[in-house]
Amino acid sequence: MESLPDAVVQYILSHMNNAKDVAVCSCVSKRWKDSLLYLKSLYFPRNSFDNHTGIDHPDSIVRKMISSIVQLEMLVVYSPFTSTGLASWLLLAGSSLRHLELRMDNLAECQTCIESPSKLECINVAKNLETLKLWGVLMVNSPKWDAFLKLQSLEIVGARLEDPALLAALGACVNLKNLLLLGCEGVRSISIELPYLEQCRLDFYGVGNCSLTLTCPKLQCLEVQGCSWIRVRETNYLTKLTISNNAGRVYMVDFGKLAALEVLSVRGVQWCWDAISKMLQLASEVKQLYMKVEFTGDFDALQPFPEIDLVEFFNSHPKLQKFDIHGAMFAALCQKNSLKNVESGFVIPCLEEVVVTVRSPLNAEQKMSTLESLLKYGKSMKSMIIRILQMKSSHSSSDDFFDEICRFQRMNRKIVRIE
């Protein structure tokens, strides 16, 4: 290191970001200390000040380190801090910051009335942010943000929100391309309009009865968890779609044409059948389909899927390459009339991989017939995985069914695998 030019030393040390490493290296020599002025990023882990016994407050230590850097572009703070401390840091580095990540899970509800400005309001100083990630956010009041015109990625993980506050925050981020709201509680009905949004993941925590409307004409990837009513009309570029609801029911889905959709994942305990059938109808061009919904039924009554004709299903999804079937969907394809209308020229042209989850020995004959048909008509089939999951029955039919599956696997051992 002593024989290297200053520029090379600066380049090497600029790749450090852990605050403890930076502090240690600054004590090695004056040359190293001067080189650390050109750091681009700083990271303060959760335990940065756990054993701190000095006179200076942790906020002051962070401020000193930030003030010694010429042009800080990334700041990540997981250690506890105050709004006053955050405000002082951003006044120093706000104009150069491009990436900001803050863990604010020490923000209690009572503090919002005491702290002025609040931590959320302090962020407004960093006008040139391109990415913003916040952990443990309390956003019950609308943050006083001006427009973040350069912000392209916003991630909020673990938050308690109110609808107007969330709308106000998103209104200041009109040029977003990536939005992630993960583990967010309190959202009831939200309408999001972001003209440049491409990637969107929304995970609403609670009873699963949220209402969501998206107006995002450039949307390419969408994942939604915890909504009962979903409306997305502009879907020309949507290629990947995941809808799940682990706590509630999915009553209504309203999508535009899904001509570009390649991957569809549908999950949940209960969906209304109209919502399921509409998704399957719209997703006629899909290449990968994952179905894990246990029941249908409009209200409290849990009902099985109605019968689905296997020939009609695959004729309606001619591009399907990978099909993961779980529970009720597989049972619906295995009804006794499902294979009655097989024409002589019927084939499943593109299907290469099937994953089937079997949970019951009921209708074992029809289930075996369906598995055999998938191999028989799937001319491009390369892999079939059969998962035996929690088959609860003391009756001998369980053993007989399992024996049949094992026989089927032995006869097609190059393709079929049992897990």
Side-chain angles (χ1 to χ4, degrees):
M1 291 289 283
E2 292 178 358
S3 62
L4 294 176
D6 286 347
V8 177
V9 175
Q10 292 169 9
Y11 177 77
I12 294 172
L13 296 180
S14 69
H15 284 74
M16 290 191 307
N17 60 13
N18 190 292
K20 288 186 177 181
D21 295 337
V22 173
V24 170
C25 287
S26 66
C27 300
V28 172
S29 67
K30 184 178 185 300
R31 187 179 183 223
W32 280 34
K33 183 177 181 180
D34 292 342
S35 296
L36 293 173
L37 302 178
Y38 302 96
L39 284 175
K40 296 298 183 183
S41 63
L42 267 181
Y43 165 54
F44 292 86
R46 185 72 169 169
N47 61 349
S48 294
F49 302 101
D50 283 359
N51 299 316
H52 175 62
T53 57
I55 299 174
D56 290 340
H57 190 276
D59 285 355
S60 300
I61 297 174
V62 177
R63 187 179 188 279
K64 286 179 180 179
M65 296 188 69
I66 291 175
S67 65
S68 66
I69 298 173
V70 174
Q71 194 171 17
L72 188 66
E73 294 183 359
M74 175 181 287
L75 177 62
V76 179
V77 183
Y78 285 175
S79 57
F81 60 90
T82 66
S83 62
T84 304
L86 179 61
S88 67
W89 309 337
L90 296 183
L91 283 174
L92 289 170
S95 60
S96 63
L97 276 182
R98 299 292 180 268
H99 313 280
L100 178 62
E101 182 172 347
L102 301 172
R103 186 164 193 141
M104 305 199 293
D105 56 359
N106 62 331
L107 184 61
E109 190 168 0
C110 61
Q111 287 179 296
T112 59
C113 303
I114 301 172
E115 294 183 326
S116 183
S118 68
K119 292 179 181 178
L120 284 174
E121 291 174 5
C122 294
I123 296 171
N124 190 53
V125 175
K127 298 293 187 185
N128 294 317
L129 286 179
E130 296 173 6
T131 64
L132 174 61
K133 186 170 184 177
L134 305 174
W135 296 73
V137 183
L138 181 65
M139 192 185 291
V140 294
N141 298 315
S142 300
K144 296 178 181 178
W145 287 353
D146 299 326
F148 289 101
L149 297 179
K150 296 183 179 181
L151 193 68
Q152 297 192 3
S153 178
L154 174 64
E155 299 186 10
I156 298 177
V157 181
R160 192 156 75 250
L161 309 171
E162 293 289 343
D163 296 346
L166 178 58
L167 283 175
L170 295 178
C173 310
V174 294
N175 295 320
L176 283 181
K177 291 185 178 180
N178 175 63
L179 174 63
L180 183 146
L181 303 176
L182 182 62
C184 294
E185 182 181 4
V187 177
R188 292 178 291 275
S189 179
I190 192 76
S191 180
I192 299 174
E193 297 185 25
L194 293 169
Y196 304 106
L197 193 67
E198 297 175 358
Q199 311 287 325
C200 183
R201 183 181 177 188
L202 306 175
D203 177 14
F204 298 128
Y205 176 78
V207 295
N209 62 350
C210 299
S211 174
L212 171 68
T213 300
L214 287 179
T215 306
C216 307
K218 294 189 176 182
L219 195 62
Q220 298 175 13
C221 177
L222 173 62
E223 295 183 37
V224 179
Q225 150 62 27
C227 290
S228 292
W229 296 269
I230 304 167
R231 177 173 283 107
V232 186
R233 299 300 300 159
E234 299 181 71
T235 56
N236 291 335
Y237 300 98
L238 191 61
T239 59
K240 183 177 180 181
L241 174 61
T242 299
I243 303 175
S244 59
N245 196 332
N246 298 327
R249 305 178 184 87
V250 176
Y251 290 109
M252 185 275 289
V253 290
D254 183 9
F255 284 82
K257 293 182 178 180
L258 297 174
L261 192 67
E262 296 184 356
V263 181
L264 173 63
S265 179
V266 177
R267 308 164 186 252
V269 176
Q270 182 182 5
W271 280 52
C272 290
W273 179 247
D274 286 346
I276 294 176
S277 58
K278 187 170 185 178
M279 287 306 310
L280 292 176
Q281 180 181 358
L282 289 171
S284 59
E285 305 296 309
V286 73
K287 295 179 181 178
Q288 296 183 33
L289 178 59
Y290 182 96
M291 291 286 298
K292 186 183 178 182
V293 178
E294 298 298 335
F295 301 98
T296 183
D298 293 340
F299 297 103
D300 293 335
L302 300 176
Q303 300 176 358
F305 281 22
E307 182 174 346
I308 297 175
D309 186 273
L310 184 140
V311 175
E312 181 181 338
F313 174 82
F314 282 105
N315 282 338
S316 301
H317 301 85
K319 297 181 180 180
L320 192 60
Q321 297 175 0
K322 182 177 180 179
F323 191 19
D324 197 321
I325 330 168
H326 190 290
M329 182 68 181
F330 181 57
L333 286 169
C334 296
Q335 299 299 316
K336 60 183 179 180
N337 295 319
S338 182
L339 292 167
K340 277 192 172 182
N341 300 317
V342 181
E343 300 175 356
S344 58
F346 171 70
V347 294
I348 306 174
C350 299
L351 192 64
E352 297 179 356
E353 182 178 345
V354 173
V355 180
V356 180
T357 301
V358 182
R359 300 187 62 177
S360 169
L362 296 177
N363 299 321
E365 184 178 348
Q366 285 84 8
K367 288 177 179 177
M368 291 307 307
S369 177
T370 301
L371 292 174
E372 292 166 356
S373 297
L374 290 173
L375 281 189
K376 178 180 178 181
Y377 300 112
K379 301 302 182 180
S380 301
M381 188 75 74
K382 297 177 180 178
S383 172
M384 175 182 286
I385 299 173
I386 304 174
R387 292 175 177 161
I388 312 297
L389 183 65
Q390 296 177 343
M391 192 177 292
K392 298 178 180 178
S393 175
S394 58
H395 196 270
S396 60
S397 60
S398 294
D399 294 334
D400 294 340
F401 183 37
F402 186 74
D403 289 342
E404 283 295 306
I405 292 176
C406 292
R407 180 191 60 81
F408 176 70
Q409 188 272 332
R410 288 194 298 271
M411 292 177 63
N412 305 278
R413 59 181 177 275
K414 292 184 178 180
I415 296 177
V416 180
R417 187 170 82 248
I418 300 175
E419 293 183 354

